[in-house]
Amino acid sequence: MSVSPAWEVQEHTGATAWFQVGLVFGDGARVDALAVVADGRVSIEDVKARPALSLADLTVLADWIEEPLCKACGMESYADEEPEAAEENGESGGARRARPPWPRGIEGRWLVAQEYRAAQADGLDPVLAVMCATGHSRRRSLRLIAQARDAGFLTPGHARR
């Protein structure tokens, strides 16, 4: 994880500072964020991630960057105040992954088919459901769906002539 100052604007009552935050996970996932510190509060202004973050990952992004960002700003972290709460939630100080790894091969294709059919049954967009489940882009998710069709887990997408 890296935190570096981007720029700072001095105002009459204080200063507003922007920081570039970079996270690289062991599975190759990367998150770059632009955080703003003003009046003792930290806000995330921009986030870029490869592969895309799921909503669950986005909600814990603040937890991932809070402590290093607060150290760079010279502020106290909320994590320092409540160490017992993190332990009760099952979080530890160890490395975190952006998302659990998606199984490869036949098991992954079967899981893609399950996600696809569950979304269809709920009246949701099945491609979007696969994207959210795998964390892959639309193009890669469509490729996984095609592989699940080829493996026989899904019906053909269109009638053959």
Side-chain angles (χ1 to χ4, degrees), residues 89-111:
N89 293 334
E91 297 177 6
S92 63
R96 298 180 186 165
R97 295 177 57 92
R99 67 186 49 80
W102 191 257
R104 295 177 182 251
I106 201 75
E107 182 183 359
R109 292 180 186 124
W110 184 80
L111 290 172

Side-chain angles (χ1 to χ4, degrees), residues 12-114:
H12 296 288
T13 60
T16 302
W18 283 262
F19 291 87
Q20 292 182 346
V21 181
L23 291 108
V24 179
F25 294 90
D27 62 352
R30 178 175 179 82
V31 178
D32 294 310
L34 182 64
V36 181
V37 179
D39 300 325
R41 299 183 71 178
V42 177
S43 303
I44 298 173
E45 195 163 290
D46 186 34
V47 176
K48 294 178 185 174
R50 290 280 178 216
L53 291 174
S54 68
L55 288 177
D57 292 336
L58 194 56
T59 59
V60 297
L61 177 63
D63 295 335
W64 293 339
I65 69 171
E66 178 185 10
E67 188 175 341
L69 187 58
C70 288
K71 284 181 183 177
C73 301
M75 297 171 40
E76 279 192 37
S77 167
Y78 291 112
D80 295 337
E81 298 173 6
E82 303 171 3
E84 299 86 24
E87 291 174 10
E88 289 174 7
N89 293 334
E91 297 177 6
S92 63
R96 298 180 186 165
R97 295 177 57 92
R99 67 186 49 80
W102 191 257
R104 295 177 182 251
I106 201 75
E107 182 183 359
R109 292 180 186 124
W110 184 80
L111 290 172
V112 164
Q114 295 299 315

Side-chain angles (χ1 to χ4, degrees), residues 132-155:
C132 290
T134 62
H136 291 301
S137 67
R138 184 171 187 83
R139 179 176 290 177
R140 178 70 178 130
S141 295
L142 287 169
R143 192 173 299 142
L144 290 171
I145 292 167
Q147 290 171 355
R149 285 188 201 287
D150 292 344
F153 294 125
L154 294 171
T155 58

